[in-house]
Amino acid sequence: MVFVLYPWLSLATTSGNGVLAFILAWVASPIIFPILAFMLEAGRVEDGGRGTSLREVVKNVFDTKIQAKSFVYGDTIILPFAFFIAADKWSQMSFKGELMIGWFIAGWIVGIAAGFGFHFIIDKPGYKKLGHIASLDSPTKLFHDFVTYPVLFGGLFYAFFPLLFATGLNLHTILILAAVAFWGYLGIKVDGGNAKELVPWGHPHYDWKEYGIKKKRVS
């Protein structure tokens, strides 16, 4: 999925198609995420699942009381907005739509590194300490860390830095930086402060041998 979404989102943005870039950013997280949750993590909430109906699962996925604010607001509004703004600026560029192979590879590496770093370095110690190591391998957690992060981080890196070097600081690049900074604030300050109470952020304990949630929440 990364091999499709990353280049598609990156090229849509640098081609100046803001609407498509916004939609693809949604596909990379708030569209596929709840579908996976319903398909693989549905179950009674009291048993550790996300709900038994699609409505209950969607409500669980976007519940600001248990979910990371950087996900609920970042993945659905802030980062798609950043891609839309980047695409608008790219629509004004003479070399829009050209494949910048060096930047493309760099974005790919940065995106994958971000996903692995978030999963293993930032999140794993906390999940393990709080007894939620089984949630670290839930389908939605794996999807978000190894698909969403590479696609959004890599795509934004590819779209933003060539733009910054070509045009410098202007309204568009400042808005993108502000959006990413706000997203970072939500993740580091807000979510970081709530981690002890809210980890694993709604990700159920999952057993891949049984392809289902673990009813007993054990580490």
Side-chain angles (χ1 to χ4, degrees), residues 91-110:
S91 70
Q92 305 169 20
M93 306 299 291
S94 60
F95 59 102
K96 66 178 180 180
E98 296 180 8
L99 177 60
M100 301 168 288
I101 189 65
W103 286 109
F104 186 83
I105 295 172
W108 185 273
I109 294 172
V110 167

mmCIF file of all heavy atoms in Angstrom, residues 91-110:
data_model
loop_
_atom_site.group_PDB
_atom_site.id
_atom_site.type_symbol
_atom_site.label_atom_id
_atom_site.label_comp_id
_atom_site.label_asym_id
_atom_site.label_seq_id
_atom_site.Cartn_x
_atom_site.Cartn_y
_atom_site.Cartn_z
ATOM 1 N N SER A 91 1.166 24.499 -7.878
ATOM 2 C CA SER A 91 0.398 24.819 -9.092
ATOM 3 C C SER A 91 0.917 26.080 -9.764
ATOM 4 O O SER A 91 0.649 26.312 -10.943
ATOM 5 C CB SER A 91 -1.086 24.984 -8.751
ATOM 6 O OG SER A 91 -1.321 26.158 -7.987
ATOM 7 N N GLN A 92 1.682 26.881 -9.026
ATOM 8 C CA GLN A 92 2.231 28.125 -9.554
ATOM 9 C C GLN A 92 3.652 27.960 -10.090
ATOM 10 O O GLN A 92 4.220 28.904 -10.632
ATOM 11 C CB GLN A 92 2.226 29.198 -8.462
ATOM 12 C CG GLN A 92 0.865 29.436 -7.833
ATOM 13 C CD GLN A 92 0.936 30.291 -6.577
ATOM 14 O OE1 GLN A 92 1.914 31.005 -6.350
ATOM 15 N NE2 GLN A 92 -0.091 30.223 -5.732
ATOM 16 N N MET A 93 4.216 26.752 -9.915
ATOM 17 C CA MET A 93 5.605 26.527 -10.296
ATOM 18 C C MET A 93 5.720 26.068 -11.739
ATOM 19 O O MET A 93 4.873 25.318 -12.240
ATOM 20 C CB MET A 93 6.235 25.474 -9.376
ATOM 21 C CG MET A 93 6.119 25.798 -7.886
ATOM 22 S SD MET A 93 6.932 27.337 -7.413
ATOM 23 C CE MET A 93 8.647 26.852 -7.638
ATOM 24 N N SER A 94 6.781 26.481 -12.398
ATOM 25 C CA SER A 94 6.977 26.120 -13.804
ATOM 26 C C SER A 94 7.381 24.662 -13.977
ATOM 27 O O SER A 94 7.138 24.068 -15.031
ATOM 28 C CB SER A 94 8.057 27.018 -14.422
ATOM 29 O OG SER A 94 9.300 26.866 -13.739
ATOM 30 N N PHE A 95 8.001 24.073 -12.961
ATOM 31 C CA PHE A 95 8.452 22.687 -13.071
ATOM 32 C C PHE A 95 7.555 21.734 -12.295
ATOM 33 O O PHE A 95 7.978 20.678 -11.853
ATOM 34 C CB PHE A 95 9.915 22.544 -12.610
ATOM 35 C CG PHE A 95 10.177 22.976 -11.196
ATOM 36 C CD1 PHE A 95 10.323 22.043 -10.183
ATOM 37 C CD2 PHE A 95 10.295 24.325 -10.875
ATOM 38 C CE1 PHE A 95 10.580 22.445 -8.877
ATOM 39 C CE2 PHE A 95 10.552 24.721 -9.586
ATOM 40 C CZ PHE A 95 10.693 23.785 -8.576
ATOM 41 N N LYS A 96 6.293 22.092 -12.124
ATOM 42 C CA LYS A 96 5.379 21.233 -11.384
ATOM 43 C C LYS A 96 5.190 19.898 -12.106
ATOM 44 O O LYS A 96 5.217 19.824 -13.328
ATOM 45 C CB LYS A 96 4.017 21.915 -11.218
ATOM 46 C CG LYS A 96 3.254 22.137 -12.511
ATOM 47 C CD LYS A 96 1.899 22.780 -12.234
ATOM 48 C CE LYS A 96 1.132 23.001 -13.549
ATOM 49 N NZ LYS A 96 -0.178 23.621 -13.321
ATOM 50 N N GLY A 97 4.994 18.851 -11.337
ATOM 51 C CA GLY A 97 4.720 17.529 -11.893
ATOM 52 C C GLY A 97 5.940 16.743 -12.316
ATOM 53 O O GLY A 97 5.832 15.567 -12.652
ATOM 54 N N GLU A 98 7.117 17.358 -12.296
ATOM 55 C CA GLU A 98 8.326 16.633 -12.677
ATOM 56 C C GLU A 98 8.770 15.722 -11.523
ATOM 57 O O GLU A 98 8.711 16.109 -10.361
ATOM 58 C CB GLU A 98 9.449 17.619 -13.023
ATOM 59 C CG GLU A 98 9.148 18.490 -14.230
ATOM 60 C CD GLU A 98 10.285 19.456 -14.536
ATOM 61 O OE1 GLU A 98 11.357 19.332 -13.907
ATOM 62 O OE2 GLU A 98 10.092 20.334 -15.398
ATOM 63 N N LEU A 99 9.215 14.527 -11.847
ATOM 64 C CA LEU A 99 9.701 13.598 -10.826
ATOM 65 C C LEU A 99 11.111 13.994 -10.414
ATOM 66 O O LEU A 99 12.040 13.967 -11.221
ATOM 67 C CB LEU A 99 9.693 12.162 -11.339
ATOM 68 C CG LEU A 99 10.255 11.110 -10.373
ATOM 69 C CD1 LEU A 99 9.446 11.085 -9.076
ATOM 70 C CD2 LEU A 99 10.287 9.732 -11.019
ATOM 71 N N MET A 100 11.258 14.375 -9.158
ATOM 72 C CA MET A 100 12.565 14.763 -8.616
ATOM 73 C C MET A 100 13.110 13.537 -7.883
ATOM 74 O O MET A 100 12.845 13.330 -6.690
ATOM 75 C CB MET A 100 12.395 15.953 -7.675
ATOM 76 C CG MET A 100 11.767 17.167 -8.349
ATOM 77 S SD MET A 100 11.245 18.460 -7.170
ATOM 78 C CE MET A 100 9.810 17.651 -6.417
ATOM 79 N N ILE A 101 13.817 12.701 -8.602
ATOM 80 C CA ILE A 101 14.171 11.372 -8.120
ATOM 81 C C ILE A 101 14.956 11.413 -6.807
ATOM 82 O O ILE A 101 14.742 10.593 -5.911
ATOM 83 C CB ILE A 101 14.951 10.582 -9.206
ATOM 84 C CG1 ILE A 101 15.118 9.130 -8.761
ATOM 85 C CG2 ILE A 101 16.266 11.262 -9.530
ATOM 86 C CD1 ILE A 101 13.832 8.359 -8.637
ATOM 87 N N GLY A 102 15.880 12.373 -6.670
ATOM 88 C CA GLY A 102 16.669 12.463 -5.449
ATOM 89 C C GLY A 102 15.802 12.778 -4.248
ATOM 90 O O GLY A 102 15.919 12.144 -3.192
ATOM 91 N N TRP A 103 14.933 13.758 -4.393
ATOM 92 C CA TRP A 103 14.010 14.113 -3.315
ATOM 93 C C TRP A 103 13.019 12.987 -3.048
ATOM 94 O O TRP A 103 12.622 12.750 -1.911
ATOM 95 C CB TRP A 103 13.257 15.394 -3.662
ATOM 96 C CG TRP A 103 14.066 16.637 -3.561
ATOM 97 C CD1 TRP A 103 14.519 17.424 -4.583
ATOM 98 C CD2 TRP A 103 14.532 17.259 -2.362
ATOM 99 N NE1 TRP A 103 15.238 18.484 -4.105
ATOM 100 C CE2 TRP A 103 15.265 18.418 -2.745
ATOM 101 C CE3 TRP A 103 14.413 16.953 -1.008
ATOM 102 C CZ2 TRP A 103 15.859 19.259 -1.803
ATOM 103 C CZ3 TRP A 103 15.003 17.801 -0.067
ATOM 104 C CH2 TRP A 103 15.718 18.932 -0.469
ATOM 105 N N PHE A 104 12.628 12.302 -4.107
ATOM 106 C CA PHE A 104 11.670 11.199 -3.967
ATOM 107 C C PHE A 104 12.258 10.082 -3.104
ATOM 108 O O PHE A 104 11.603 9.573 -2.198
ATOM 109 C CB PHE A 104 11.300 10.659 -5.349
ATOM 110 C CG PHE A 104 10.214 9.622 -5.325
ATOM 111 C CD1 PHE A 104 8.875 9.995 -5.289
ATOM 112 C CD2 PHE A 104 10.528 8.272 -5.343
ATOM 113 C CE1 PHE A 104 7.873 9.042 -5.267
ATOM 114 C CE2 PHE A 104 9.526 7.305 -5.316
ATOM 115 C CZ PHE A 104 8.195 7.693 -5.279
ATOM 116 N N ILE A 105 13.500 9.720 -3.362
ATOM 117 C CA ILE A 105 14.165 8.680 -2.576
ATOM 118 C C ILE A 105 14.381 9.149 -1.138
ATOM 119 O O ILE A 105 14.177 8.395 -0.184
ATOM 120 C CB ILE A 105 15.504 8.283 -3.225
ATOM 121 C CG1 ILE A 105 15.250 7.625 -4.590
ATOM 122 C CG2 ILE A 105 16.293 7.347 -2.310
ATOM 123 C CD1 ILE A 105 16.509 7.368 -5.392
ATOM 124 N N ALA A 106 14.777 10.422 -0.989
ATOM 125 C CA ALA A 106 14.998 10.968 0.346
ATOM 126 C C ALA A 106 13.702 10.956 1.158
ATOM 127 O O ALA A 106 13.700 10.596 2.341
ATOM 128 C CB ALA A 106 15.540 12.388 0.249
ATOM 129 N N GLY A 107 12.604 11.336 0.523
ATOM 130 C CA GLY A 107 11.313 11.328 1.198
ATOM 131 C C GLY A 107 10.916 9.921 1.615
ATOM 132 O O GLY A 107 10.362 9.709 2.703
ATOM 133 N N TRP A 108 11.188 8.978 0.746
ATOM 134 C CA TRP A 108 10.888 7.569 1.034
ATOM 135 C C TRP A 108 11.646 7.118 2.285
ATOM 136 O O TRP A 108 11.074 6.501 3.185
ATOM 137 C CB TRP A 108 11.285 6.736 -0.178
ATOM 138 C CG TRP A 108 10.933 5.285 -0.088
ATOM 139 C CD1 TRP A 108 11.669 4.291 0.463
ATOM 140 C CD2 TRP A 108 9.733 4.671 -0.567
ATOM 141 N NE1 TRP A 108 11.023 3.093 0.354
ATOM 142 C CE2 TRP A 108 9.829 3.293 -0.278
ATOM 143 C CE3 TRP A 108 8.598 5.146 -1.227
ATOM 144 C CZ2 TRP A 108 8.834 2.389 -0.609
ATOM 145 C CZ3 TRP A 108 7.609 4.252 -1.556
ATOM 146 C CH2 TRP A 108 7.720 2.892 -1.262
ATOM 147 N N ILE A 109 12.933 7.439 2.334
ATOM 148 C CA ILE A 109 13.767 7.040 3.470
ATOM 149 C C ILE A 109 13.303 7.728 4.748
ATOM 150 O O ILE A 109 13.181 7.093 5.807
ATOM 151 C CB ILE A 109 15.244 7.367 3.190
ATOM 152 C CG1 ILE A 109 15.765 6.504 2.027
ATOM 153 C CG2 ILE A 109 16.099 7.154 4.436
ATOM 154 C CD1 ILE A 109 17.150 6.883 1.558
ATOM 155 N N VAL A 110 13.030 9.030 4.663
ATOM 156 C CA VAL A 110 12.584 9.784 5.836
ATOM 157 C C VAL A 110 11.254 9.242 6.350
ATOM 158 O O VAL A 110 11.061 9.086 7.567
ATOM 159 C CB VAL A 110 12.447 11.280 5.493
ATOM 160 C CG1 VAL A 110 11.681 12.023 6.585
ATOM 161 C CG2 VAL A 110 13.820 11.900 5.302
#
